[in-house]
Amino acid sequence: AYEYFVRNTDIPAYAAKISDHIKAGGQAPLVLLGFSTGAAAIWHLSRDPDMKHVRQAFCFYGSRIRDHMDICPVFPSTLIFPGSEPGFEVRELMDQAQKIPGVRCIREEKGLHGFMNQRSKNFSAPLYEKWIHKINQWIKANSLG
C-alpha cells in the first residue's frame, strides 16, 4: 500500500481528497483520526479555514509532519509519536510542534511506528486499547458521541 501511494500520489493530493470528502459531508462536528500518511494528510489540511467544524484531530506517527512545520492548524491537533523513528529525532520534532498553538504532542516511549495497526509487526495491544479508550473518552466529554 505504501509503495502504491508513493508511486501514484502525494500528501497534498491525499489531503485534498480527504478535504473534499469532509466538505461534502456538511458542517457536522468531526473528530479526525490519521495514521502515518493519513496523519500527515490531516496535518496538511488542518490549515484550511473551511475545516473549523473539526473539533479534534488525533494524528498517530505522522513522521512527514516534520516537512510542514509552517502549518498552524485551525482545529486542535494531538500528535502521537512512537518512542523513536528512523531518520529523525522524535523529541526534536515534538519540541518544535508543541510551540504551535492548538497542538499537543505525546510520545509513546514503548510504541513503534504502527503500534495502532493490528496488521503491523509493531502492533501493541495495550497501546491500542489505551488510545481507543482515550479517544472514546474525548468524544463523550465533548458531546460528540
Side-chain angles (χ1 to χ4, degrees):
Y2 179 75
E3 286 178 31
Y4 176 86
F5 177 83
V6 170
R7 279 191 308 245
N8 295 288
T9 192
D10 59 15
I11 298 292
Y14 187 24
K17 284 184 180 185
I18 295 169
S19 177
D20 290 346
H21 184 73
I22 290 170
K23 289 175 183 177
Q27 293 293 311
L30 295 174
V31 175
L32 302 179
L33 301 177
F35 304 90
S36 194
T37 305
I42 288 171
W43 180 255
H44 194 80
L45 70 84
S46 73
R47 69 175 115 199
D48 184 341
D50 292 334
M51 293 289 135
K52 289 186 177 177
H53 62 291
V54 174
R55 299 292 183 248
Q56 176 69 43
F58 294 95
C59 298
F60 290 85
Y61 34 86
S63 61
R64 300 315 311 184
I65 288 171
R66 72 185 187 274
D67 298 333
H68 303 281
M69 294 310 300
D70 60 318
I71 290 173
C72 187
V74 298
F75 48 78
S77 300
T78 301
L79 310 180
I80 304 102
F81 295 99
S84 65
E85 285 273 12
F88 73 97
E89 175 52 48
V90 171
R91 177 55 57 202
E92 289 176 16
L93 175 57
M94 288 178 62
D95 290 345
Q96 190 177 3
Q98 289 182 136
K99 294 175 185 171
I100 301 170
V103 175
R104 179 174 170 228
C105 294
I106 298 169
R107 184 177 189 177
E108 286 294 355
E109 294 288 341
K110 295 180 181 176
L112 298 173
H113 192 105
F115 68 80
M116 291 291 288
N117 182 348
Q118 294 177 350
R119 294 183 176 162
S120 170
K121 66 180 180 180
N122 295 329
F123 175 68
S124 169
L127 289 177
Y128 175 85
E129 293 298 327
K130 171 186 172 178
W131 279 101
I132 293 298
H133 180 73
K134 280 183 177 247
I135 292 165
N136 281 327
Q137 280 184 316
W138 190 95
I139 289 169
K140 287 178 187 171
N142 290 277
S143 302
L144 297 177

